[in-house]
C-alpha cells in the first residue's frame, strides 16, 4: 500500500480487553452480528448484482460470524470508496483506498476486481468500470511512473508525506513511486472486464495511447541505454521510503528485466530487478496484445507486447531462479543481474505467494509450489507465527505484523481443504471484533492492528468467500 506510516493509527483495544479479563483471542463480534455496512441511503454505490450475490452467498455459509464478515467486507469498496462523475465529457470513476483520499492504480484495480464477473448483466457496474478504465488512462497519461493520483488531475498532492519528494512531481500526482505493478493492474482489470462483457466503450484512443505509454515505460526501465529519467528520494527516518544512489536505485546489470524502484508495498526495492513484478508484466503484456489487435487493429503494438513479454520471460528464467537447500529451483524475490539474489516474500501482491492468483503461473507449477512453501516458512524473514495466527508481513509495518491479505492469498492458492479451513479460522478470529479485515495485526494480539478502513483487504476476503461458495461449498457448510 502507500507510504502511510504517518497516517496510520495503530488501533488497540488490548487495555479494555485486559480490564475484562479477556485474552487477545477472546474478542468476539457484536451479539446478533448486526451489519456494519452504511445505511442504504449513505452508500457510495449500489449494484443489484452484488446485492443478489451477497444474499445468495450468505445463505450458503453455516457460520454466522463468517457470514457477517462476508456481508460487511465484500461490498466495502462499493459502499465506501467509489466516486462517480464525469471528466473531460466522459464517465469517470475515482476509487480511494479507504482512509486516504487518493487513488492508487494498484489498489483501485484490485478493489473492484471481484465484481468483474457480475458486470455483464448489471448496467450500474458497467458504468463504474467504464469510468475507472478511463480514469486509469488519464492517470497513466499524466505520469506512467506515478503510483497514486489526486481526484483533480490539475491538483497538487495533498499527501503531506509526498509534498517534498525529490522527483519530477506533476499536477494530478499524489505519490510518484515507480512500481511495475502499477501499470500491470490496470491492464489486468481492462482485460478482465473486456473478456467478461465484450464492452468496447471505455477503450478509446486515449486508452490506446496510455497503453502505448505503458509499453514504452517498461522498455525504458529495462535500462539498456542508461538509468532513464526516473529518480526518487524522500526525506524520511524510514530507509525504505527513499531510494539509493541519487534516487536511481542500487546498481544492476542490464539483462532484459524491467527495473522497479519500489515494491507493491510501496517500500524500496533492495535489488531493482523485482521478479514478481516482472512476471506480472509478462502476464499483462500477453493480456494486452489481443486487445490491441481486436479493439484497434494495432498489430504493431500487439507484436511489440508479445516480443517484450518473451524477452522479459527469458531474462526471468535466466536470472530470477535460485535454488533451495536441496538444490531445487525456486523463484527469487529480487536480483541485480550480477548474481546477487534475495529470497523473501511480502504480503502485498504481486509477491511470490500471489503469482498463481495473478495468473503469472499455473497453480500446480512445481517451482511455484516449492517457492510458496518456502515463503510460508522461517526461510522467509517476514513470515511470522504467533498465538493469533501465522502469516506474512513485510517491512512496511515491521516485524510481528501479519497481513490478513497474506492469509487470504494462501487460501486462494491452496489445493488443500484443511489448509483453507485453517486460513478461515485465522481470518475469523483476528478481526478484533470490528467486522472488517485490516492492513496488519500483531502475531500474538489481533487487537493491535493497523488501518481500520482498508478496502482492498475487505474485498479480497469477499472474493475468497465467493470462490469457496462456488468451488468448495462444503468448506462453508461445515
Amino acid at each position: 500500500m502507500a507510504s502511510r506510516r504517518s497516517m496510520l493509527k495503530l488501533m488497540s483495544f488490548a487495555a479494555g480487553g485486559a480490564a475484562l479479563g479477556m485474552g487477545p483471542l477472546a474478542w468476539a463480534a457484536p451479539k446478533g452480528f448486526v451489519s456494519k455496512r452504511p445505511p442504504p441511503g449513505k452508500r457510495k454505490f449500489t449494484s443489484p448484482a452484488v446485492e443478489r450475490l451477497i444474499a445468495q452467498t450468505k445463505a450458503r455459509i453455516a457460520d454466522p460470524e463468517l457470514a457477517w464478515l462476508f456481508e460487511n467486507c465484500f461490498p466495502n469498496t462499493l459502499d465506501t470508496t467509489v466516486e462517480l462523475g464525469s471528466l473531460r465529457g466522459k464517465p469517470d470513476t475515482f476509487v480511494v483506498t479507504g482512509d486516504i483520499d487518493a487513488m492508487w492504480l494498484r489498489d483501485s484495480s484490485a478493489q473492484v476486481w471481484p465484481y468483474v464477473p457480475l458486470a455483464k448483466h448489471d448496467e450500474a457496474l458497467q458504468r463504474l468500470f467504464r469510468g475507472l478504465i478511463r480514469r486509469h488512462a488519464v492517470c497513466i497519461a499524466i505520469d506512467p511512473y506515478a503510483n497514486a493520483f489526486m481526484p483533480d488531475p490539475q491538483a497538487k498532492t495533498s499527501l503531506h508525506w509526498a509534498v517534498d519528494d525529490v522527483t519530477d512531481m506533476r499536477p494530478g500526482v499524489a505519490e510518484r513511486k515507480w512500481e511495475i505493478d502499477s501499470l500491470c493492474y490496470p491492464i489486468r482489470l481492462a482485460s478482465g472486464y473486456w473478456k467478461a462483457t465484450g464492452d468496447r466503450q471505455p477503450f478509446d484512443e486515449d486508452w490506446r495511447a496510455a497503453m502505448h505509454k505503458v509499453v514504452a515505460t517498461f522498455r525504458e526501465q529495462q535500462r539498456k541505454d542508461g538509468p532513464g529519467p526516473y529518480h526518487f528520494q524522500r526525506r524520511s527516518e524510514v530507509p525504505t521510503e527513499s531510494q539509493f544512489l541519487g534516487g536511481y536505485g542500487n546498481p544492476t546489470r542490464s539483462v532484459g528485466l524491467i527495473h522497479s524502484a519500489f515494491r507493491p508495498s510501496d517500500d524500496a526495492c533492495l535489488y531493482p530487478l523485482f521478479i514478481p513484478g516482472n512476471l506480472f508484466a509478462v502476464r499483462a503484456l500477453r493480456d494486452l496484445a489481443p486487445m490491441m489487435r481486436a479493439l484497434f487493429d494495432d498489430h504493431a503494438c500487439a507484436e511489440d507486447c508479445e516480443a517484450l513479454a518473451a524477452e522479459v520471460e527469458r531474462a526471468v528464467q535466466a536470472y530470477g531462479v535460485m535454488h533451495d537447500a536441496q538444490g531445487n529451483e525456486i523463484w527469487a524475490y529480487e536480483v541485480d543481474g550480477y548474481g546477487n539474489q534475495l529470497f523473501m516474500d511480502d504480503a502485498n501482491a504481486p509477491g511470490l505467494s500471489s503469482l498463481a492468483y495473478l495468473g503469472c503461473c499455473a497453480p500446480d507449477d512445481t517451482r511455484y509450489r516449492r517457492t510458496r512453501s518456502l515463503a510460508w516458512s522461517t526461510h522467509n524473514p517476514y513470515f511470522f507465527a504467533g498465538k493469533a495466527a501465522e502469516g506474512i508481513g513485510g517491512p512496511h509495518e515491521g516485524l510481528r505484523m501479519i497481513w490478513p491479505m497474506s492469509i487470504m492469498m494462501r487460501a486462494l492458492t491452496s489445493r488443500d481443504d484443511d489448509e483453507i479451513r485453517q486460513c478461515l479460522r485465522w481470518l475469523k478470529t483476528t478481526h478484533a471484533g470490528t467486522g472488517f479485515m485490516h492492513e496488519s495485526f500483531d502475531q500474538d494480539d489481533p487487537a493491535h492492528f493497523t488501518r481500520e478502513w482498508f478496502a482492498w483487504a475487505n474485498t479480497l476476503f469477499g472474493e475468497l468467500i465467493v470462490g469457496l461458495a462456488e468451488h468448495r461449498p462444503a468448506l462453508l457448510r461445515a
Side-chain angles (χ1 to χ4, degrees), residues 45 82-87 89-94 119 122-135 193 197 199 201-202:
F45 182 92
V82 171
E83 294 286 350
L84 298 184
S86 62
L87 182 65
K90 298 178 181 179
D92 178 57
T93 305
F94 194 85
D122 190 319
E123 291 184 5
L125 279 178
Q126 290 172 27
R127 164 66 178 80
L128 181 152
F129 283 112
R130 289 168 185 162
L132 183 56
I133 290 168
R134 284 177 170 137
R135 171 62 80 138
Y193 175 74
T197 65
D199 182 11
Q201 286 196 38

PDB file of all heavy atoms in Angstrom, residues 45 82-87 89-94 119 122-135 193 197 199 201-202:
ATOM      1  N   PHE A  45     -22.208   3.574  -3.720  1.00  0.00           N
ATOM      2  CA  PHE A  45     -22.577   2.924  -4.969  1.00  0.00           C
ATOM      3  C   PHE A  45     -23.325   1.642  -4.632  1.00  0.00           C
ATOM      4  O   PHE A  45     -22.969   0.934  -3.696  1.00  0.00           O
ATOM      5  CB  PHE A  45     -21.319   2.601  -5.780  1.00  0.00           C
ATOM      6  CG  PHE A  45     -21.581   1.977  -7.120  1.00  0.00           C
ATOM      7  CD1 PHE A  45     -21.698   2.758  -8.256  1.00  0.00           C
ATOM      8  CD2 PHE A  45     -21.715   0.603  -7.247  1.00  0.00           C
ATOM      9  CE1 PHE A  45     -21.935   2.178  -9.500  1.00  0.00           C
ATOM     10  CE2 PHE A  45     -21.951   0.013  -8.477  1.00  0.00           C
ATOM     11  CZ  PHE A  45     -22.062   0.806  -9.609  1.00  0.00           C
ATOM     12  N   VAL A  82     -16.122   4.555  -3.735  1.00  0.00           N
ATOM     13  CA  VAL A  82     -16.358   4.862  -5.146  1.00  0.00           C
ATOM     14  C   VAL A  82     -16.992   6.238  -5.304  1.00  0.00           C
ATOM     15  O   VAL A  82     -17.980   6.557  -4.645  1.00  0.00           O
ATOM     16  CB  VAL A  82     -17.264   3.788  -5.786  1.00  0.00           C
ATOM     17  CG1 VAL A  82     -17.700   4.205  -7.188  1.00  0.00           C
ATOM     18  CG2 VAL A  82     -16.537   2.446  -5.824  1.00  0.00           C
ATOM     19  N   GLU A  83     -16.420   7.042  -6.210  1.00  0.00           N
ATOM     20  CA  GLU A  83     -16.991   8.339  -6.552  1.00  0.00           C
ATOM     21  C   GLU A  83     -17.239   8.372  -8.063  1.00  0.00           C
ATOM     22  O   GLU A  83     -16.292   8.299  -8.853  1.00  0.00           O
ATOM     23  CB  GLU A  83     -16.048   9.475  -6.163  1.00  0.00           C
ATOM     24  CG  GLU A  83     -15.838   9.639  -4.667  1.00  0.00           C
ATOM     25  CD  GLU A  83     -17.043  10.262  -3.955  1.00  0.00           C
ATOM     26  OE1 GLU A  83     -17.969  10.734  -4.657  1.00  0.00           O
ATOM     27  OE2 GLU A  83     -17.036  10.273  -2.717  1.00  0.00           O
ATOM     28  N   LEU A  84     -18.498   8.475  -8.468  1.00  0.00           N
ATOM     29  CA  LEU A  84     -18.844   8.582  -9.884  1.00  0.00           C
ATOM     30  C   LEU A  84     -18.968  10.045 -10.287  1.00  0.00           C
ATOM     31  O   LEU A  84     -19.422  10.878  -9.509  1.00  0.00           O
ATOM     32  CB  LEU A  84     -20.160   7.859 -10.170  1.00  0.00           C
ATOM     33  CG  LEU A  84     -20.223   6.358  -9.912  1.00  0.00           C
ATOM     34  CD1 LEU A  84     -21.569   5.818 -10.360  1.00  0.00           C
ATOM     35  CD2 LEU A  84     -19.097   5.622 -10.620  1.00  0.00           C
ATOM     36  N   GLY A  85     -18.579  10.337 -11.502  1.00  0.00           N
ATOM     37  CA  GLY A  85     -18.708  11.700 -12.012  1.00  0.00           C
ATOM     38  C   GLY A  85     -18.412  11.713 -13.497  1.00  0.00           C
ATOM     39  O   GLY A  85     -18.590  10.697 -14.185  1.00  0.00           O
ATOM     40  N   SER A  86     -17.961  12.833 -13.976  1.00  0.00           N
ATOM     41  CA  SER A  86     -17.549  12.939 -15.375  1.00  0.00           C
ATOM     42  C   SER A  86     -16.246  13.711 -15.424  1.00  0.00           C
ATOM     43  O   SER A  86     -15.966  14.567 -14.579  1.00  0.00           O
ATOM     44  CB  SER A  86     -18.618  13.639 -16.213  1.00  0.00           C
ATOM     45  OG  SER A  86     -18.822  14.965 -15.765  1.00  0.00           O
ATOM     46  N   LEU A  87     -15.436  13.400 -16.414  1.00  0.00           N
ATOM     47  CA  LEU A  87     -14.148  14.046 -16.600  1.00  0.00           C
ATOM     48  C   LEU A  87     -13.922  14.205 -18.097  1.00  0.00           C
ATOM     49  O   LEU A  87     -13.977  13.228 -18.846  1.00  0.00           O
ATOM     50  CB  LEU A  87     -13.030  13.213 -15.969  1.00  0.00           C
ATOM     51  CG  LEU A  87     -11.616  13.788 -16.043  1.00  0.00           C
ATOM     52  CD1 LEU A  87     -11.511  15.083 -15.243  1.00  0.00           C
ATOM     53  CD2 LEU A  87     -10.595  12.767 -15.530  1.00  0.00           C
ATOM     54  N   GLY A  89     -15.844  15.310 -20.285  1.00  0.00           N
ATOM     55  CA  GLY A  89     -17.034  14.944 -21.040  1.00  0.00           C
ATOM     56  C   GLY A  89     -17.309  13.458 -21.113  1.00  0.00           C
ATOM     57  O   GLY A  89     -18.195  13.025 -21.861  1.00  0.00           O
ATOM     58  N   LYS A  90     -16.604  12.645 -20.311  1.00  0.00           N
ATOM     59  CA  LYS A  90     -16.795  11.195 -20.333  1.00  0.00           C
ATOM     60  C   LYS A  90     -17.041  10.681 -18.913  1.00  0.00           C
ATOM     61  O   LYS A  90     -16.641  11.316 -17.934  1.00  0.00           O
ATOM     62  CB  LYS A  90     -15.559  10.508 -20.932  1.00  0.00           C
ATOM     63  CG  LYS A  90     -15.267  10.891 -22.373  1.00  0.00           C
ATOM     64  CD  LYS A  90     -14.000  10.212 -22.869  1.00  0.00           C
ATOM     65  CE  LYS A  90     -13.693  10.609 -24.306  1.00  0.00           C
ATOM     66  NZ  LYS A  90     -12.442   9.976 -24.808  1.00  0.00           N
ATOM     67  N   PRO A  91     -17.697   9.517 -18.789  1.00  0.00           N
ATOM     68  CA  PRO A  91     -17.913   8.946 -17.459  1.00  0.00           C
ATOM     69  C   PRO A  91     -16.592   8.736 -16.729  1.00  0.00           C
ATOM     70  O   PRO A  91     -15.593   8.332 -17.332  1.00  0.00           O
ATOM     71  CB  PRO A  91     -18.592   7.605 -17.763  1.00  0.00           C
ATOM     72  CG  PRO A  91     -19.215   7.789 -19.091  1.00  0.00           C
ATOM     73  CD  PRO A  91     -18.303   8.701 -19.851  1.00  0.00           C
ATOM     74  N   ASP A  92     -16.600   9.010 -15.438  1.00  0.00           N
ATOM     75  CA  ASP A  92     -15.388   8.936 -14.625  1.00  0.00           C
ATOM     76  C   ASP A  92     -15.698   8.220 -13.327  1.00  0.00           C
ATOM     77  O   ASP A  92     -16.767   8.417 -12.728  1.00  0.00           O
ATOM     78  CB  ASP A  92     -14.862  10.345 -14.340  1.00  0.00           C
ATOM     79  CG  ASP A  92     -13.630  10.333 -13.461  1.00  0.00           C
ATOM     80  OD1 ASP A  92     -12.635   9.689 -13.851  1.00  0.00           O
ATOM     81  OD2 ASP A  92     -13.652  10.965 -12.386  1.00  0.00           O
ATOM     82  N   THR A  93     -14.783   7.381 -12.894  1.00  0.00           N
ATOM     83  CA  THR A  93     -14.895   6.706 -11.598  1.00  0.00           C
ATOM     84  C   THR A  93     -13.577   6.855 -10.867  1.00  0.00           C
ATOM     85  O   THR A  93     -12.518   6.507 -11.400  1.00  0.00           O
ATOM     86  CB  THR A  93     -15.213   5.212 -11.764  1.00  0.00           C
ATOM     87  OG1 THR A  93     -16.386   5.056 -12.556  1.00  0.00           O
ATOM     88  CG2 THR A  93     -15.429   4.562 -10.404  1.00  0.00           C
ATOM     89  N   PHE A  94     -13.644   7.383  -9.665  1.00  0.00           N
ATOM     90  CA  PHE A  94     -12.464   7.547  -8.825  1.00  0.00           C
ATOM     91  C   PHE A  94     -12.657   6.668  -7.594  1.00  0.00           C
ATOM     92  O   PHE A  94     -13.700   6.720  -6.937  1.00  0.00           O
ATOM     93  CB  PHE A  94     -12.297   9.014  -8.416  1.00  0.00           C
ATOM     94  CG  PHE A  94     -10.951   9.347  -7.846  1.00  0.00           C
ATOM     95  CD1 PHE A  94      -9.895   9.666  -8.679  1.00  0.00           C
ATOM     96  CD2 PHE A  94     -10.742   9.354  -6.474  1.00  0.00           C
ATOM     97  CE1 PHE A  94      -8.644   9.987  -8.162  1.00  0.00           C
ATOM     98  CE2 PHE A  94      -9.508   9.673  -5.940  1.00  0.00           C
ATOM     99  CZ  PHE A  94      -8.454   9.987  -6.790  1.00  0.00           C
ATOM    100  N   ALA A 119     -20.499  -7.903 -14.093  1.00  0.00           N
ATOM    101  CA  ALA A 119     -20.747  -6.666 -14.841  1.00  0.00           C
ATOM    102  C   ALA A 119     -21.598  -6.869 -16.090  1.00  0.00           C
ATOM    103  O   ALA A 119     -22.321  -5.952 -16.502  1.00  0.00           O
ATOM    104  CB  ALA A 119     -19.417  -6.022 -15.220  1.00  0.00           C
ATOM    105  N   ASP A 122     -25.232  -6.131 -15.342  1.00  0.00           N
ATOM    106  CA  ASP A 122     -25.506  -5.060 -14.388  1.00  0.00           C
ATOM    107  C   ASP A 122     -25.024  -3.742 -14.994  1.00  0.00           C
ATOM    108  O   ASP A 122     -23.827  -3.465 -15.046  1.00  0.00           O
ATOM    109  CB  ASP A 122     -24.799  -5.336 -13.055  1.00  0.00           C
ATOM    110  CG  ASP A 122     -25.228  -4.384 -11.951  1.00  0.00           C
ATOM    111  OD1 ASP A 122     -25.388  -3.178 -12.235  1.00  0.00           O
ATOM    112  OD2 ASP A 122     -25.383  -4.827 -10.807  1.00  0.00           O
ATOM    113  N   GLU A 123     -25.953  -2.917 -15.458  1.00  0.00           N
ATOM    114  CA  GLU A 123     -25.595  -1.662 -16.118  1.00  0.00           C
ATOM    115  C   GLU A 123     -24.876  -0.703 -15.175  1.00  0.00           C
ATOM    116  O   GLU A 123     -24.007   0.068 -15.602  1.00  0.00           O
ATOM    117  CB  GLU A 123     -26.847  -1.002 -16.691  1.00  0.00           C
ATOM    118  CG  GLU A 123     -27.448  -1.763 -17.871  1.00  0.00           C
ATOM    119  CD  GLU A 123     -28.634  -1.036 -18.468  1.00  0.00           C
ATOM    120  OE1 GLU A 123     -28.926   0.103 -18.024  1.00  0.00           O
ATOM    121  OE2 GLU A 123     -29.270  -1.602 -19.386  1.00  0.00           O
ATOM    122  N   ALA A 124     -25.242  -0.747 -13.895  1.00  0.00           N
ATOM    123  CA  ALA A 124     -24.575   0.134 -12.931  1.00  0.00           C
ATOM    124  C   ALA A 124     -23.089  -0.208 -12.836  1.00  0.00           C
ATOM    125  O   ALA A 124     -22.228   0.685 -12.824  1.00  0.00           O
ATOM    126  CB  ALA A 124     -25.242   0.020 -11.564  1.00  0.00           C
ATOM    127  N   LEU A 125     -22.773  -1.491 -12.775  1.00  0.00           N
ATOM    128  CA  LEU A 125     -21.374  -1.895 -12.720  1.00  0.00           C
ATOM    129  C   LEU A 125     -20.637  -1.538 -14.003  1.00  0.00           C
ATOM    130  O   LEU A 125     -19.470  -1.131 -13.976  1.00  0.00           O
ATOM    131  CB  LEU A 125     -21.266  -3.398 -12.452  1.00  0.00           C
ATOM    132  CG  LEU A 125     -21.404  -3.860 -11.000  1.00  0.00           C
ATOM    133  CD1 LEU A 125     -21.331  -5.374 -10.926  1.00  0.00           C
ATOM    134  CD2 LEU A 125     -20.338  -3.236 -10.109  1.00  0.00           C
ATOM    135  N   GLN A 126     -21.311  -1.674 -15.130  1.00  0.00           N
ATOM    136  CA  GLN A 126     -20.670  -1.303 -16.392  1.00  0.00           C
ATOM    137  C   GLN A 126     -20.297   0.171 -16.385  1.00  0.00           C
ATOM    138  O   GLN A 126     -19.203   0.551 -16.824  1.00  0.00           O
ATOM    139  CB  GLN A 126     -21.604  -1.613 -17.563  1.00  0.00           C
ATOM    140  CG  GLN A 126     -21.799  -3.102 -17.816  1.00  0.00           C
ATOM    141  CD  GLN A 126     -22.879  -3.377 -18.845  1.00  0.00           C
ATOM    142  OE1 GLN A 126     -23.148  -2.546 -19.709  1.00  0.00           O
ATOM    143  NE2 GLN A 126     -23.523  -4.534 -18.743  1.00  0.00           N
ATOM    144  N   ARG A 127     -21.166   1.003 -15.863  1.00  0.00           N
ATOM    145  CA  ARG A 127     -20.864   2.432 -15.745  1.00  0.00           C
ATOM    146  C   ARG A 127     -19.643   2.650 -14.866  1.00  0.00           C
ATOM    147  O   ARG A 127     -18.778   3.483 -15.172  1.00  0.00           O
ATOM    148  CB  ARG A 127     -22.092   3.160 -15.188  1.00  0.00           C
ATOM    149  CG  ARG A 127     -21.846   4.566 -14.647  1.00  0.00           C
ATOM    150  CD  ARG A 127     -21.435   5.540 -15.755  1.00  0.00           C
ATOM    151  NE  ARG A 127     -21.251   6.882 -15.238  1.00  0.00           N
ATOM    152  CZ  ARG A 127     -20.161   7.316 -14.605  1.00  0.00           C
ATOM    153  NH1 ARG A 127     -19.129   6.507 -14.401  1.00  0.00           N
ATOM    154  NH2 ARG A 127     -20.063   8.569 -14.185  1.00  0.00           N
ATOM    155  N   LEU A 128     -19.574   1.937 -13.771  1.00  0.00           N
ATOM    156  CA  LEU A 128     -18.429   2.060 -12.861  1.00  0.00           C
ATOM    157  C   LEU A 128     -17.135   1.678 -13.569  1.00  0.00           C
ATOM    158  O   LEU A 128     -16.135   2.403 -13.513  1.00  0.00           O
ATOM    159  CB  LEU A 128     -18.648   1.173 -11.637  1.00  0.00           C
ATOM    160  CG  LEU A 128     -17.572   1.182 -10.543  1.00  0.00           C
ATOM    161  CD1 LEU A 128     -18.208   0.865  -9.192  1.00  0.00           C
ATOM    162  CD2 LEU A 128     -16.451   0.178 -10.815  1.00  0.00           C
ATOM    163  N   PHE A 129     -17.132   0.519 -14.233  1.00  0.00           N
ATOM    164  CA  PHE A 129     -15.899   0.045 -14.875  1.00  0.00           C
ATOM    165  C   PHE A 129     -15.482   0.940 -16.031  1.00  0.00           C
ATOM    166  O   PHE A 129     -14.283   1.210 -16.210  1.00  0.00           O
ATOM    167  CB  PHE A 129     -16.072  -1.401 -15.342  1.00  0.00           C
ATOM    168  CG  PHE A 129     -15.980  -2.411 -14.230  1.00  0.00           C
ATOM    169  CD1 PHE A 129     -17.093  -3.137 -13.835  1.00  0.00           C
ATOM    170  CD2 PHE A 129     -14.782  -2.628 -13.572  1.00  0.00           C
ATOM    171  CE1 PHE A 129     -17.011  -4.060 -12.805  1.00  0.00           C
ATOM    172  CE2 PHE A 129     -14.690  -3.554 -12.534  1.00  0.00           C
ATOM    173  CZ  PHE A 129     -15.805  -4.269 -12.150  1.00  0.00           C
ATOM    174  N   ARG A 130     -16.435   1.408 -16.815  1.00  0.00           N
ATOM    175  CA  ARG A 130     -16.078   2.309 -17.912  1.00  0.00           C
ATOM    176  C   ARG A 130     -15.367   3.550 -17.382  1.00  0.00           C
ATOM    177  O   ARG A 130     -14.360   4.003 -17.929  1.00  0.00           O
ATOM    178  CB  ARG A 130     -17.328   2.713 -18.685  1.00  0.00           C
ATOM    179  CG  ARG A 130     -17.934   1.594 -19.513  1.00  0.00           C
ATOM    180  CD  ARG A 130     -19.313   1.967 -20.010  1.00  0.00           C
ATOM    181  NE  ARG A 130     -19.966   0.872 -20.720  1.00  0.00           N
ATOM    182  CZ  ARG A 130     -21.272   0.795 -20.959  1.00  0.00           C
ATOM    183  NH1 ARG A 130     -22.085   1.769 -20.516  1.00  0.00           N
ATOM    184  NH2 ARG A 130     -21.763  -0.235 -21.611  1.00  0.00           N
ATOM    185  N   GLY A 131     -15.904   4.103 -16.301  1.00  0.00           N
ATOM    186  CA  GLY A 131     -15.301   5.296 -15.724  1.00  0.00           C
ATOM    187  C   GLY A 131     -13.931   5.044 -15.136  1.00  0.00           C
ATOM    188  O   GLY A 131     -13.023   5.878 -15.266  1.00  0.00           O
ATOM    189  N   LEU A 132     -13.742   3.885 -14.502  1.00  0.00           N
ATOM    190  CA  LEU A 132     -12.452   3.594 -13.878  1.00  0.00           C
ATOM    191  C   LEU A 132     -11.389   3.287 -14.933  1.00  0.00           C
ATOM    192  O   LEU A 132     -10.242   3.739 -14.817  1.00  0.00           O
ATOM    193  CB  LEU A 132     -12.589   2.427 -12.903  1.00  0.00           C
ATOM    194  CG  LEU A 132     -11.324   2.066 -12.113  1.00  0.00           C
ATOM    195  CD1 LEU A 132     -10.793   3.271 -11.334  1.00  0.00           C
ATOM    196  CD2 LEU A 132     -11.589   0.895 -11.176  1.00  0.00           C
ATOM    197  N   ILE A 133     -11.742   2.526 -15.958  1.00  0.00           N
ATOM    198  CA  ILE A 133     -10.783   2.235 -17.025  1.00  0.00           C
ATOM    199  C   ILE A 133     -10.334   3.528 -17.700  1.00  0.00           C
ATOM    200  O   ILE A 133      -9.147   3.728 -17.995  1.00  0.00           O
ATOM    201  CB  ILE A 133     -11.405   1.246 -18.028  1.00  0.00           C
ATOM    202  CG1 ILE A 133     -11.537  -0.144 -17.372  1.00  0.00           C
ATOM    203  CG2 ILE A 133     -10.571   1.152 -19.301  1.00  0.00           C
ATOM    204  CD1 ILE A 133     -12.396  -1.122 -18.148  1.00  0.00           C
ATOM    205  N   ARG A 134     -11.277   4.444 -17.911  1.00  0.00           N
ATOM    206  CA  ARG A 134     -10.913   5.739 -18.496  1.00  0.00           C
ATOM    207  C   ARG A 134     -10.043   6.557 -17.544  1.00  0.00           C
ATOM    208  O   ARG A 134      -9.089   7.219 -17.966  1.00  0.00           O
ATOM    209  CB  ARG A 134     -12.179   6.503 -18.869  1.00  0.00           C
ATOM    210  CG  ARG A 134     -12.844   5.968 -20.139  1.00  0.00           C
ATOM    211  CD  ARG A 134     -14.128   6.691 -20.442  1.00  0.00           C
ATOM    212  NE  ARG A 134     -14.646   6.352 -21.764  1.00  0.00           N
ATOM    213  CZ  ARG A 134     -15.929   6.110 -22.027  1.00  0.00           C
ATOM    214  NH1 ARG A 134     -16.829   6.179 -21.056  1.00  0.00           N
ATOM    215  NH2 ARG A 134     -16.317   5.812 -23.257  1.00  0.00           N
ATOM    216  N   ARG A 135     -10.379   6.544 -16.261  1.00  0.00           N
ATOM    217  CA  ARG A 135      -9.578   7.301 -15.293  1.00  0.00           C
ATOM    218  C   ARG A 135      -8.156   6.747 -15.240  1.00  0.00           C
ATOM    219  O   ARG A 135      -7.188   7.510 -15.140  1.00  0.00           O
ATOM    220  CB  ARG A 135     -10.239   7.252 -13.917  1.00  0.00           C
ATOM    221  CG  ARG A 135      -9.385   7.811 -12.775  1.00  0.00           C
ATOM    222  CD  ARG A 135      -9.047   9.291 -12.941  1.00  0.00           C
ATOM    223  NE  ARG A 135     -10.125  10.166 -12.540  1.00  0.00           N
ATOM    224  CZ  ARG A 135      -9.980  11.296 -11.843  1.00  0.00           C
ATOM    225  NH1 ARG A 135      -8.775  11.697 -11.475  1.00  0.00           N
ATOM    226  NH2 ARG A 135     -11.019  12.040 -11.553  1.00  0.00           N
ATOM    227  N   TYR A 193     -12.410  -7.123 -17.703  1.00  0.00           N
ATOM    228  CA  TYR A 193     -13.717  -6.528 -17.998  1.00  0.00           C
ATOM    229  C   TYR A 193     -14.114  -6.775 -19.454  1.00  0.00           C
ATOM    230  O   TYR A 193     -15.264  -7.128 -19.748  1.00  0.00           O
ATOM    231  CB  TYR A 193     -13.681  -5.025 -17.703  1.00  0.00           C
ATOM    232  CG  TYR A 193     -14.954  -4.310 -18.096  1.00  0.00           C
ATOM    233  CD1 TYR A 193     -16.118  -4.459 -17.334  1.00  0.00           C
ATOM    234  CD2 TYR A 193     -15.001  -3.507 -19.229  1.00  0.00           C
ATOM    235  CE1 TYR A 193     -17.288  -3.819 -17.696  1.00  0.00           C
ATOM    236  CE2 TYR A 193     -16.171  -2.860 -19.591  1.00  0.00           C
ATOM    237  CZ  TYR A 193     -17.310  -3.031 -18.826  1.00  0.00           C
ATOM    238  OH  TYR A 193     -18.488  -2.407 -19.193  1.00  0.00           O
ATOM    239  N   THR A 197     -17.458  -8.919 -20.582  1.00  0.00           N
ATOM    240  CA  THR A 197     -18.616  -8.182 -21.098  1.00  0.00           C
ATOM    241  C   THR A 197     -18.619  -7.988 -22.609  1.00  0.00           C
ATOM    242  O   THR A 197     -19.692  -7.787 -23.200  1.00  0.00           O
ATOM    243  CB  THR A 197     -18.702  -6.794 -20.446  1.00  0.00           C
ATOM    244  OG1 THR A 197     -17.554  -6.029 -20.853  1.00  0.00           O
ATOM    245  CG2 THR A 197     -18.748  -6.894 -18.925  1.00  0.00           C
ATOM    246  N   ASP A 199     -17.660  -5.337 -23.854  1.00  0.00           N
ATOM    247  CA  ASP A 199     -17.936  -3.904 -23.957  1.00  0.00           C
ATOM    248  C   ASP A 199     -16.704  -3.170 -24.494  1.00  0.00           C
ATOM    249  O   ASP A 199     -15.617  -3.254 -23.924  1.00  0.00           O
ATOM    250  CB  ASP A 199     -18.314  -3.381 -22.573  1.00  0.00           C
ATOM    251  CG  ASP A 199     -18.680  -1.906 -22.563  1.00  0.00           C
ATOM    252  OD1 ASP A 199     -18.852  -1.328 -23.656  1.00  0.00           O
ATOM    253  OD2 ASP A 199     -18.805  -1.332 -21.463  1.00  0.00           O
ATOM    254  N   GLN A 201     -16.792   0.262 -25.057  1.00  0.00           N
ATOM    255  CA  GLN A 201     -16.942   1.697 -24.835  1.00  0.00           C
ATOM    256  C   GLN A 201     -15.753   2.380 -24.161  1.00  0.00           C
ATOM    257  O   GLN A 201     -15.375   3.489 -24.563  1.00  0.00           O
ATOM    258  CB  GLN A 201     -18.226   1.968 -24.046  1.00  0.00           C
ATOM    259  CG  GLN A 201     -19.491   1.817 -24.855  1.00  0.00           C
ATOM    260  CD  GLN A 201     -20.680   2.458 -24.151  1.00  0.00           C
ATOM    261  OE1 GLN A 201     -20.565   3.508 -23.524  1.00  0.00           O
ATOM    262  NE2 GLN A 201     -21.830   1.809 -24.252  1.00  0.00           N
ATOM    263  N   PRO A 202     -15.158   1.779 -23.134  1.00  0.00           N
ATOM    264  CA  PRO A 202     -14.077   2.532 -22.470  1.00  0.00           C
ATOM    265  C   PRO A 202     -12.766   2.543 -23.228  1.00  0.00           C
ATOM    266  O   PRO A 202     -11.844   3.271 -22.853  1.00  0.00           O
ATOM    267  CB  PRO A 202     -13.928   1.798 -21.134  1.00  0.00           C
ATOM    268  CG  PRO A 202     -14.395   0.411 -21.403  1.00  0.00           C
ATOM    269  CD  PRO A 202     -15.487   0.533 -22.427  1.00  0.00           C
TER     270      PRO A 202
END
